[in-house]
């Protein structure tokens, strides 16, 4: 028998390709196996094509503010949906090509269905390979109830939405998590009649009741939002009837946006000799990505605790380092950061409101309806909250539905990562006029609930043993 490979990577998405890059720095005895299209979920059917659709939708929606700025003639504008979708596909294909070129798997990549035959053996379409380490990065797929299959291609997912030559005039979006909320708003802004249904109480992953209420109210201004019981579908003359008991609509197509399911069935995880949970998933250490004490690692959407591209890339990186190391080690994970590209952006940074303990934290809040730059840009809607430790003032987290929230979320994530306090952040410069001044308002509000450490955002020079800067 030939010498075992150093590593076999199953799956060529964001996690798998990140793992391949790291393994290749240390050995060329690696094989990456992919079942299905090459190119990451993000580039092919996820974050990139959805953002292209969102950009087109927001550009067209901007016409509603034209008259406020003294611009006339919006009545002559219209949407060419086939052209919009064609542009999305063209840009998407370019991103996919770039991803494939950057990865360049070459002879180390093979197409086929991989199945584990133990903690050191992988079978690919009848061919057996041995490896010192195995990395499982098989990704995920959209959740679609089995009974919905009867409606054929009228049931859309992110895997099929962007491939459509055009779209029907009426669409139901089932699920208002991050992707469902984004796409429901984008389709509505492009002129599609949208009815959205959510079975859970939370939209876009938000947990703070005030922030959630703000987003829900803003979305309801643009399309129908039904929150409550599970949506049921049935064939009726003229389309598909969607009902959740309290609301009923008839639509041409249904977009299933109820999350994604890890691709771990039929992978042979039962051959690893470790206990699997009720979903067939083995125990995975989130710091090392190691399964039990085996030289087998799971990364990305296959380990679905943090199904985001930057997390998948980190997990692939960690899995690869440990796959070729003498002893696996744990890594400190990045500050949790989730951004939903509705307008205004919804974001959760660090600790969520629902995970904080009453009495241990203070809250600072800002309403963007009166914020200067937001009013000037006609983006004066939204709300942001920051949470800080009561005793120390250390920033713990934030939830927001705010204009340019994607940028403020990154500032707060940096503050949390560096263990900065409310006062530390208030020491930073805030230019005028910028939307970040709204963040300062929230920080000052939080500071008002903390033990007073200073009467000023600035710190006295003597505290640093330095003279003032000119």
């Amino acid at each position: 028998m030939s010498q075992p490979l150093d590593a076999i990577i199953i799956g060529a998405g964001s996690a798998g390709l990140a793992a391949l890059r790291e393994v290749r720095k240390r050995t060329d005895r690696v094989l990456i196996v992919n079942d299905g299209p090459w190119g990451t979920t993000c580039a092919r059917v996820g974050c990139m094509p959805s953002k292209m659709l969102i950009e087109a939708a927001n550009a067209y929606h901007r016409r509603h503010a034209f008259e406020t700025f003294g611009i006339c003639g919006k009545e002559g504008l219209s949407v060419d949906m086939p052209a919009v979708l064609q542009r999305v596909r063209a840009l998407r294909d370019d991103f996919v090509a770039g991803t494939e070129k950057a990865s360049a798997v070459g002879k180390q990549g093979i197409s086929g269905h991989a199945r584990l035959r133990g903690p050191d053996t992988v079978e690919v379409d009848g061919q057996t390979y041995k490896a010192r380490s195995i990395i499982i990065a098989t990704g995920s797929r959209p959740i679609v109830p089995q009974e919905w299959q009867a409606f054929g291609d009228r049931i859309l997912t992110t895997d099929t939405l962007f491939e459509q030559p055009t779209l029907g005039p009426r669409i139901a979006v089932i699920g208002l998590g991050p992707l469902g909320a984004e796409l429901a708003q984008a389709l509505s802004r492009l002129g599609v009649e949208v009815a959205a249904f959510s079975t859970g109480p939370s939209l876009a992953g938000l947990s703070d009741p005030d922030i959630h209420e703000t987003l829900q109210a803003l979305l309801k201004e643009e399309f129908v939002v039904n929150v409550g019981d599970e949506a049921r579908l049935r064939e009726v003359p003229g389309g598909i009837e969607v009902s959740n008991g309290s609301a009923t609509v008839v639509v041409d197509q249904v977009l299933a946006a109820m999350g994604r399911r890890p691709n771990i069935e039929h992978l042979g995880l039962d051959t690893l000799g470790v206990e699997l949970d009720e979903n067939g998933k083995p125990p995975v250490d989130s710091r090392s990505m190691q399964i039990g004490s085996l030289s087998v690692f799971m990364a990305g959407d296959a380990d679905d605790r943090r199904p985001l591209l930057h997390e998948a890339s980190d997990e692939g990186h960690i899995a690869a380092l440990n796959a070729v190391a003498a002893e696996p080690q744990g890594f400190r994970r990045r500050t949790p950061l989730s951004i939903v590209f509705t307008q205004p952006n919804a974001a959760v940074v660090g600790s969520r409101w629902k995970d904080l303990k009453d009495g241990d934290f203070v809250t600072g809040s800002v309403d963007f309806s009166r914020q200067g730059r937001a009013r000037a840009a006609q983006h004066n809607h939204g709300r942001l909250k920051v949470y800080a430790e009561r005793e120390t003032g250390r920033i713990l987290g934030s939830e927001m539905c705010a204009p340019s929230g994607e940028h403020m979320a990154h500032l707060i994530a940096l503050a949390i990562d560096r263990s900065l306090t409310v006062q530390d952040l208030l020491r930073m410069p805030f230019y005028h006029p910028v939307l970040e001044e709204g963040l300062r308002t929230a920080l000052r509000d939080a500071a008002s609930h903390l033990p007073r450490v200073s009467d000023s955002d600035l710190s006295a020079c003597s505290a640093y043993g330095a003279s003032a800067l000119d």
Side-chain angles (χ1 to χ4, degrees), residues 63 106 226 235-236 254 346 385 408 431 433 443-444 446 460:
R63 74 194 186 283
N226 300 292
E235 187 78 48
V236 297
V254 172
K385 286 188 178 182
M408 284 181 274
Y431 206 74
L443 291 167
R444 285 176 171 171

Side-chain angles (χ1 to χ4, degrees), residues 79-113:
V79 172
D80 182 344
M81 186 64 79
V84 169
L85 292 168
Q86 184 178 24
R87 175 184 180 271
V88 168
R89 287 191 293 273
L91 278 174
R92 182 274 312 275
D93 292 346
D94 189 55
F95 279 113
V96 170
T99 300
E100 292 177 348
K101 182 178 180 181
S103 304
V105 298
K107 293 181 179 179
Q108 292 169 327
I110 60 173
S111 295
H113 176 71

